[in-house]
Amino acid sequence: MMMADKEITTLGHDTTMCGDPKSWFPMRVTYSRELKVKAELDRLKIENFIPMTYQVMDADTEHPHRELVPAINNLIFVHSTQERISYLKQKNEVLEPLRYILDQTAQEAHTIMTVKDRQMENFMRVASMTDNSVMFLNDEWVIGKEGKHVQIMGGVFEGVKGVIRRVKRCKRVVVELKG
């Protein structure tokens, strides 16, 4: 736990009993500096993930082109300990823009959001596909459309678990990160 201005911040779940004190932290990065932060985390050999997608740039010009860009602006997932991330945020100027995301669904106030390893593995497998078969949706597309839980049994997404949902008039398997 950390003390910050007399407020206690706690982790979303305890992983110390598992022998791996690292957790996946979804973090905001201010001013769209997620690729710069990713490069620094890679240099420090800290596991991280930014979901990427192709976007058509300069579409209304003579030379439109596809460019690989972050699929969700200002978001990076960092796999480390809260203590190490906090230390690096204070000591490394490039990592200073990282901001913890608080878990709004937690019963305790000021709980930092974490993602379970299995959920993150599913998300990374699906989000790593940069073709048009993957869509990134916000809450308004999936809220209130509960479906059947499934596990994909073949193909590039074999083993991924998700929920069948109707999105844009088609049935799709949705991989969700809670919170």
Side-chain angles (χ1 to χ4, degrees), residues 111-137:
T111 299
I112 293 174
M113 184 181 288
T114 59
V115 178
K116 294 180 181 176
D117 287 344
R118 181 66 181 151
Q119 276 187 311
M120 196 64 201
E121 287 169 20
N122 281 337
F123 180 70
M124 287 190 302
R125 285 190 57 203
V126 172
S128 293
M129 300 296 290
T130 54
D131 61 6
N132 291 335
S133 66
V134 175
M135 296 173 16
F136 292 90
L137 308 172

Side-chain angles (χ1 to χ4, degrees), residues 9-10 26 28 99-105 109-113 179:
T9 305
T10 59
R28 285 195 179 85
R99 301 287 181 258
Y100 290 108
I101 298 174
L102 297 182
D103 187 349
Q104 303 299 323
T105 63
H110 307 290
T111 299
I112 293 174
M113 184 181 288

Side-chain angles (χ1 to χ4, degrees), residues 80-121:
S80 189
T81 63
Q82 181 182 353
E83 293 77 19
R84 182 157 190 222
I85 294 170
S86 296
Y87 174 80
L88 289 171
K89 282 171 41 66
Q90 292 174 357
K91 301 295 181 185
N92 187 317
E93 190 175 306
V94 177
L95 300 180
E96 189 276 329
L98 284 171
R99 301 287 181 258
Y100 290 108
I101 298 174
L102 297 182
D103 187 349
Q104 303 299 323
T105 63
Q107 293 180 354
E108 294 182 38
H110 307 290
T111 299
I112 293 174
M113 184 181 288
T114 59
V115 178
K116 294 180 181 176
D117 287 344
R118 181 66 181 151
Q119 276 187 311
M120 196 64 201
E121 287 169 20

